Amino acid sequence: MKSKGKHNGIHFICVESSTGLQIIPYKLERSRRIKRMSLQFDSSQFVTLKMPLRKAEHHGTRFILEHGDWICRTLETQPGVPGLREFLLKNSRLSIAGRWHKVELSLSIGPSGFLVDDTSRSIKISLNPREPAEVQLHSVLMAIARTYVTERVRFLAAHHGIRTHGITIRDQKSRWGSCSETGGISLNWRLILIAPKLQDHVILHELAHIHHFDHSSEFHRFLGELDPHTDKHAGKLDDEAMRVMALGREDS
């Protein structure tokens, strides 16, 4: 499942700038209220292209290409991607077992790690002050996701009577998840950073592909049975992608 939603997806385009070719991620937004094309900058990672509802998309891509150098220079002035520690201090909760769990960060000499308390719905993350915090946090969050996202997949698969053939947690750059033809599920570790219902929607989307390896009407009907609020949940994933997809990358 790519990070883009049904209508307002995240796309990539290569543009010419004064410093050479650059790839610009952009989000396409259409509305009857929009009368002419414009660009909106929300962060240093994405630009939003706003277009009239009936205007062909190739006009929008040409608009971006014509303003490539200006877009690149403007993106450089936008706030950068926060580090994982900064993000967790402002958003101190993780999605585990279908519920939010409050994050408590602490420092302790020794290996970094985590401890989940389901009774208090909290997760304590311990970091070694002598080691780089970002590297430790990335490793710990990956470990949390490998444990709890994997468990959530197994729970939902069993609940709906779907058999999986392997579950992997990866550091994907632009996908929430994917499903192989053999029924293997691969998911982005950043699912622990988004709301439990949205995490479940992504998982159910990939589980639905085990029965329908396409995006046919049968697939969407089946997904609607698994998640009755699928359109609502899918519509929120774009904003979540813009918020968390760049977190924890070595190049961010």
Side-chain angles (χ1 to χ4, degrees):
M1 182 179 186
K2 293 184 179 180
S3 59
K4 65 181 182 179
K6 187 175 180 181
H7 300 293
N8 298 331
I10 297 172
H11 310 270
F12 298 86
I13 187 171
C14 188
V15 303
E16 283 276 5
S17 72
S18 57
T19 58
L21 291 174
Q22 293 197 40
I23 296 176
I24 294 178
Y26 71 94
K27 178 180 177 181
L28 180 60
E29 183 178 313
R30 294 179 181 274
S31 170
R32 290 186 176 88
R33 297 190 300 271
I34 299 174
K35 302 303 180 184
R36 59 190 180 89
M37 288 188 293
S38 65
L39 298 167
Q40 177 178 311
F41 298 86
D42 298 311
S43 72
S44 62
Q45 298 296 309
F46 298 91
V47 60
T48 299
L49 170 64
K50 298 193 172 186
M51 291 183 62
L53 190 63
R54 297 184 180 277
K55 202 169 189 67
E57 187 172 344
H58 69 85
H59 292 294
T61 55
R62 185 169 63 190
F63 185 73
I64 292 177
L65 292 172
E66 290 172 351
H67 297 82
D69 188 57
W70 176 75
I71 292 172
C72 290
R73 286 187 281 107
T74 304
L75 285 173
E76 290 176 355
T77 67
Q78 301 302 305
V81 178
L84 290 171
R85 182 175 179 274
E86 179 185 351
F87 178 85
L88 289 176
L89 288 175
K90 292 181 179 179
N91 306 271
S92 56
R93 57 184 186 174
L94 296 177
S95 181
I96 294 175
R99 297 177 175 179
W100 281 120
H101 282 56
K102 182 181 178 181
V103 174
E104 300 175 11
L105 294 176
S106 64
L107 299 176
S108 177
I109 300 299
S112 57
F114 68 93
L115 179 64
V116 174
D117 186 337
D118 287 323
T119 302
S120 63
R121 295 189 192 178
S122 65
I123 179 164
K124 298 177 181 179
I125 297 177
S126 176
L127 304 178
N128 188 332
R130 297 176 180 175
E131 302 293 335
E134 290 299 297
V135 175
Q136 293 180 83
L137 274 174
H138 186 275
S139 178
V140 170
L141 292 174
M142 281 286 289
I144 294 170
R146 286 192 175 112
T147 298
Y148 288 95
V149 174
T150 300
E151 284 186 3
R152 192 63 178 171
V153 175
R154 289 173 177 155
F155 170 81
L156 291 173
H159 179 74
H160 293 286
I162 300 174
R163 184 177 179 182
T164 62
H165 298 275
I167 305 163
T168 58
I169 306 300
R170 298 172 54 205
D171 193 356
Q172 295 153 314
K173 290 187 176 181
S174 61
R175 286 180 179 269
W176 289 116
S178 61
C179 177
S180 71
E181 292 187 36
T182 59
I185 301 292
S186 178
L187 294 166
N188 195 316
W189 72 263
R190 295 172 184 84
L191 286 173
I192 61 175
L193 303 179
I194 67 176
K197 290 183 179 180
L198 299 185
Q199 182 189 110
D200 282 355
H201 169 75
V202 172
I203 294 172
L204 292 171
H205 181 109
E206 303 309 333
L207 290 176
H209 276 311
I210 293 177
H211 283 194
H212 301 281
F213 196 65
D214 53 27
H215 285 102
S216 62
S217 58
E218 289 80 6
F219 164 81
H220 287 292
R221 178 191 57 76
F222 183 52
L223 178 57
E225 293 176 0
L226 301 180
D227 178 9
H229 302 290
T230 184
D231 289 339
K232 175 184 176 181
H233 294 154
K236 293 182 177 180
L237 285 175
D238 281 344
D239 291 337
E240 291 302 288
M242 295 181 70
R243 192 173 70 94
V244 307
M245 276 294 181
L247 292 170
R249 292 187 194 168
E250 291 183 358
D251 58 352
S252 60

